[in-house]
Amino acid sequence: MPFNSVGTAKPQGAAELAEREGISEEEWRAQNLPATKLEFRWRYTNKAIHLYERRLRSLAAFNVGPAVQAWVRSRLEWVRDNRFYEMPDGVIVLTIDPEGEVDIQQEPLRATPSFANAPGTLWTAKDSCVHAEQDISHAADTLVRDLCKTLGFELGEASLEGEDAEQFRVSDEFGVIAHEAQNGPITQKLVECFDKLWTLDR
């Protein structure tokens, strides 16, 4: 059950938590733990984790249940209070495995990659319509989705193609990265708004 060397005491085990909820341990694990090991890379600057609450909420989309989410929150708070002074700007690397083992490391910020080498979700845009090529699950993607709604862009259900189609990638580590050759007004507006908000949105 969720435990690592960072922070305070180990929480209750899966069997005890399942018993308290009146379900089997197998059912509890299926509802609260991922099937495979997950890794998340979250940027932080000036000792503040970008999109903090969004990132915690986004864990549910990866089958990380409330008990593990609470454990992750407590670990992140401990890291923030005890380690960020050593590296005030960087990347949180959070891993969660099917047994609920949680590990949190810090890495220095990497140089922003080109579009071709950037991680994250591919988005396309054209004629005030925007489409995500994957399910919108990560925190940065949910912010872009909300910005699209606020700015009056339609969220399309299919890829947008053509000579004037725009492309960009979105990740929790690098934000919005525009395609060098398929850039345009929609992408630029989203970049402008995203860069203003992702350090403020908690």
Side-chain angles (χ1 to χ4, degrees), residues 87-186:
M87 189 188 298
D89 303 303
V91 178
I92 286 287
V93 183
L94 166 68
T95 56
I96 305 171
D97 76 8
E99 292 302 312
E101 297 290 328
V102 174
D103 183 61
I104 297 175
Q105 302 294 329
Q106 291 166 266
E107 293 183 3
L109 291 175
R110 299 186 290 176
T112 301
S114 65
F115 173 87
N117 297 314
T121 304
L122 174 64
W123 290 69
T124 56
K126 182 180 180 182
D127 298 332
S128 297
C129 188
V130 182
H131 170 72
E133 299 292 333
Q134 298 169 233
D135 290 338
I136 297 175
S137 302
H138 291 280
D141 287 314
T142 68
L143 178 55
V144 170
R145 177 200 62 201
D146 292 349
L147 283 171
C148 288
K149 294 177 180 178
T150 299
L151 294 168
F153 299 143
E154 179 185 353
L155 291 171
E157 297 183 356
S159 299
L160 302 165
E161 301 177 349
E163 291 184 2
D164 55 346
E166 304 173 32
Q167 288 190 337
F168 57 93
R169 289 193 180 275
V170 178
S171 76
D172 288 342
E173 182 177 1
F174 297 108
V176 180
I177 299 178
H179 190 295
E180 294 84 352
Q182 291 179 265
N183 200 345
I186 296 176

Side-chain angles (χ1 to χ4, degrees), residues 1-198:
M1 215 359 246
F3 178 70
N4 66 3
S5 59
V6 175
T8 56
K10 183 176 182 177
Q12 298 163 312
E16 185 176 349
L17 289 168
E19 184 178 355
R20 288 178 58 185
E21 294 183 19
I23 58 177
S24 69
E25 180 177 349
E26 183 178 56
E27 289 174 312
W28 189 92
R29 287 178 178 276
Q31 294 173 14
N32 289 276
L33 294 171
T36 59
K37 187 174 182 177
L38 302 173
E39 179 179 288
F40 302 92
R41 299 181 64 87
W42 297 347
R43 180 178 290 237
Y44 69 93
T45 55
N46 195 27
K47 303 179 183 178
I49 302 174
H50 297 194
L51 308 178
Y52 181 64
E53 292 295 337
R54 281 178 182 266
R55 285 174 170 165
L56 290 171
R57 291 195 301 269
S58 74
L59 294 175
F62 298 91
N63 206 52
V64 176
V68 184
Q69 288 179 39
W71 181 242
V72 169
R73 181 186 291 274
S74 69
R75 298 314 87 197
L76 286 172
E77 291 175 353
W78 189 93
V79 170
R80 180 195 62 200
D81 294 342
N82 293 275
R83 291 186 177 173
F84 276 10
Y85 70 91
E86 299 173 352
M87 189 188 298
D89 303 303
V91 178
I92 286 287
V93 183
L94 166 68
T95 56
I96 305 171
D97 76 8
E99 292 302 312
E101 297 290 328
V102 174
D103 183 61
I104 297 175
Q105 302 294 329
Q106 291 166 266
E107 293 183 3
L109 291 175
R110 299 186 290 176
T112 301
S114 65
F115 173 87
N117 297 314
T121 304
L122 174 64
W123 290 69
T124 56
K126 182 180 180 182
D127 298 332
S128 297
C129 188
V130 182
H131 170 72
E133 299 292 333
Q134 298 169 233
D135 290 338
I136 297 175
S137 302
H138 291 280
D141 287 314
T142 68
L143 178 55
V144 170
R145 177 200 62 201
D146 292 349
L147 283 171
C148 288
K149 294 177 180 178
T150 299
L151 294 168
F153 299 143
E154 179 185 353
L155 291 171
E157 297 183 356
S159 299
L160 302 165
E161 301 177 349
E163 291 184 2
D164 55 346
E166 304 173 32
Q167 288 190 337
F168 57 93
R169 289 193 180 275
V170 178
S171 76
D172 288 342
E173 182 177 1
F174 297 108
V176 180
I177 299 178
H179 190 295
E180 294 84 352
Q182 291 179 265
N183 200 345
I186 296 176
T187 302
Q188 287 308 301
K189 186 62 177 179
L190 288 170
V191 168
E192 177 186 343
C193 293
F194 187 96
D195 287 351
K196 289 179 180 179
L197 293 175
W198 81 319

